[in-house]
Amino acid sequence: MQTVVSGIRPTGKLHLGNYFGAVKNFLMMQENYNSYFFIADIHSLTTHPTPEDLHGSVRQVLAEYLAMGLDPEKCALFIQSDVPEITELYTYMNMNAYLGELERSASFKDKIRTQKNNVNAGLLTYPVLMAVDILIHKADFVPVGKDQEQHLEMTRQFGNRFNRMYDVEFFPEPQAFSFTGELVKVPGLTGQGKMSKSGGAGDAVFFDEDDDVTRKKIMRAKTDAGPQEPNSPHSEEIANLFDLMRLVCEESVVQQYVDAYADCSIRYGDMKKQLAEDMLTLIAPIRERIREVKADDAYLAKAAKIGAEKARESASRTMREVREIIGFKKFY
Ligand code: TYM
């Protein structure tokens, strides 16, 4: 059976971008693949969360994953810091990752800009840790959104370099994966690129927020002055709204608004109301379930424990071989 690995940084709550970019694929993958899905709490340390925030976010995401349908019996759903083999391999792989290539990573350049006062070494070697997450389970596929493509390219580079350096065929080359064939980019509501938790207030629609909060965000989403003449092209803001509609609305409903735009009869208020209600149809039942799971300490504990055991079993198998390959051989 082929193996998949994917993770998420716990920095708050899951939003629609996470769901359509990654989690929806996880739900399908756990049925047919040897699946490892984890909460990347070590990655989160690059932003210096307080212990309370870190633990709270991990708990939130764990509950959200379970509420969305990840089944601890079908996949390995685990917390990264429960698997010390990951930090061990990270140490070794850092020796073969070069400053120049790490500095060129788009996410590092972005972080230099956005967290000027905290440009730590963990940010620089973030792609190495991410590669280790994937390589330690010898993944064939990584279900991710489009934003992670470059990190995946670096993963292949680090894995191949290890193979060449030790003249082994040890790490397979993991490929990005999406069931639709194309990697997804879910736009945000503020009209600036992908939906993200750091995209500012109102950019992301979260699963665990009240209906009225979601409705308000959608109603405030950026639009333009409206089509000036029949069949005019969509501005970026409107194209984003249509992209969001395609994720949650029936095709015929989307078409109705596309046609209304084309003949200039569209009313953005109606379009947004439709979008909000169709989003809530998806979100509301999941949100109720999140709230139940979040209050169920015993279930969270059981899920995390099963996941840690499965992940450690796979990771320690890889590490026994890695140590041998590198030349750490036991004298006793
Ligand atoms: P993170 O936490 O930013 O996002 C988690 C997952 O959600 C996807 N995603 C999106 N997809 C489409 N449109 C969006 N607007 C959008 N926003 C987020 C991301 O592509 C990702 O799949 N570095 C990773 C976490 C990570 C990881 C890994 C992922 C650590 N180790 C190993 C895969 C394999 C990150 O920061 O994702």
Side-chain angles (χ1 to χ4, degrees):
M1 203 189 272
Q2 288 179 306
T3 298
V4 300
V5 174
S6 196
I8 187 162
R9 267 172 309 131
T11 48
K13 300 173 176 179
L14 290 191
H15 53 68
L16 285 174
N18 301 133
Y19 182 77
F20 286 106
V23 182
K24 215 173 152 205
N25 284 321
F26 299 175
L27 292 174
M28 295 186 261
M29 293 192 119
Q30 68 175 352
E31 306 294 335
N32 303 310
Y33 293 80
N34 187 18
S35 307
Y36 296 89
F37 302 125
F38 68 97
I39 302 170
D41 56 347
I42 305 176
H43 283 273
S44 274
L45 297 183
T46 54
T47 58
H48 298 176
T50 65
E52 293 73 26
D53 280 352
L54 182 64
H55 183 67
S57 291
V58 171
R59 186 189 174 85
Q60 176 75 26
V61 176
L62 180 60
E64 290 183 312
Y65 268 173
L66 292 166
M68 286 176 187
L70 286 186
D71 180 343
E73 303 292 341
K74 289 185 182 165
C75 63
L77 170 58
F78 67 99
I79 298 158
Q80 190 183 29
S81 62
D82 276 342
V83 184
E85 289 80 4
I86 291 174
T87 38
E88 183 187 349
L89 185 57
Y90 175 49
T91 305
Y92 305 159
M93 295 301 268
N94 268 328
M95 310 303 173
N96 308 332
Y98 297 101
L99 184 60
E101 63 188 343
L102 295 171
E103 278 175 338
R104 279 194 299 277
S105 122
S107 67
F108 182 64
K109 287 189 194 150
D110 185 48
K111 293 291 176 190
I112 292 185
R113 250 188 325 107
T114 52
Q115 57 183 79
K116 280 194 198 75
N117 299 323
N118 181 18
V119 182
N120 57 67
L123 277 181
L124 185 72
T125 58
Y126 186 106
V128 183
L129 182 56
M130 178 155 163
V132 166
D133 293 327
I134 297 165
L135 296 173
I136 204 160
H137 300 295
K138 297 191 169 177
D140 301 293
F141 295 112
V142 187
V144 282
K146 190 145 184 60
D147 57 326
Q148 297 297 322
E149 233 170 3
Q150 191 187 26
H151 283 148
L152 227 79
E153 184 54 43
M154 294 175 85
T155 300
R156 287 190 283 271
Q157 204 166 312
F158 296 143
N160 286 335
R161 189 176 294 155
F162 179 95
N163 290 349
R164 268 200 312 278
M165 187 161 173
Y166 295 106
D167 198 17
V168 287
E169 289 206 13
F170 187 67
F171 291 123
E173 269 201 349
Q175 304 299 327
F177 190 92
S178 157
F179 273 94
T180 58
E182 267 176 54
L183 295 192
V184 178
K185 177 184 154 191
V186 179
L189 295 172
T190 49
Q192 292 157 342
K194 65 165 184 170
M195 180 176 286
S196 93
K197 38 208 161 196
S198 51
D203 188 59
V205 172
F206 297 101
F207 281 85
D208 195 2
E209 68 188 7
D210 290 331
D211 285 2
D212 282 345
V213 174
T214 303
R215 283 198 186 94
K216 271 197 195 118
K217 282 183 190 170
I218 309 276
M219 294 317 285
R220 287 199 193 121
K222 255 190 130 167
T223 50
D224 57 18
Q228 303 301 309
E229 54 186 66
N231 300 316
S232 48
H234 298 169
S235 63
E236 195 183 341
E237 293 86 355
I238 300 307
N240 285 349
L241 286 182
F242 276 121
D243 281 350
L244 289 168
M245 280 194 114
R246 281 185 197 98
L247 295 172
V248 294
C249 304
E250 300 262 349
E251 223 177 291
S252 58
V253 172
V254 182
Q255 193 56 44
Q256 188 187 319
Y257 286 94
V258 169
D259 293 345
Y261 186 93
D263 68 18
C264 300
S265 66
I266 194 161
R267 288 156 54 149
Y268 290 149
D270 293 346
M271 180 186 183
K272 288 174 169 182
K273 267 194 206 125
Q274 177 84 50
L275 178 60
E277 293 317 310
D278 288 349
M279 272 186 185
L280 290 172
T281 304
L282 166 77
I283 290 172
I286 296 179
R287 182 188 53 220
E288 295 322 308
R289 181 88 187 111
I290 292 171
R291 293 183 180 173
E292 279 165 34
V293 176
K294 224 163 42 172
D296 191 345
D297 284 342
Y299 183 42
L300 292 176
K302 186 172 159 223
K305 186 159 182 281
I306 299 177
E309 281 163 6
K310 288 191 195 171
R312 284 204 73 181
E313 195 191 313
S314 152
S316 56
R317 213 179 312 129
T318 304
M319 289 316 292
R320 269 197 300 277
E321 292 184 76
V322 164
R323 288 187 211 111
E324 276 276 318
I325 291 171
I326 289 181
F328 293 137
K329 295 194 180 153
K330 292 273 179 238
F331 284 94
Y332 54 89

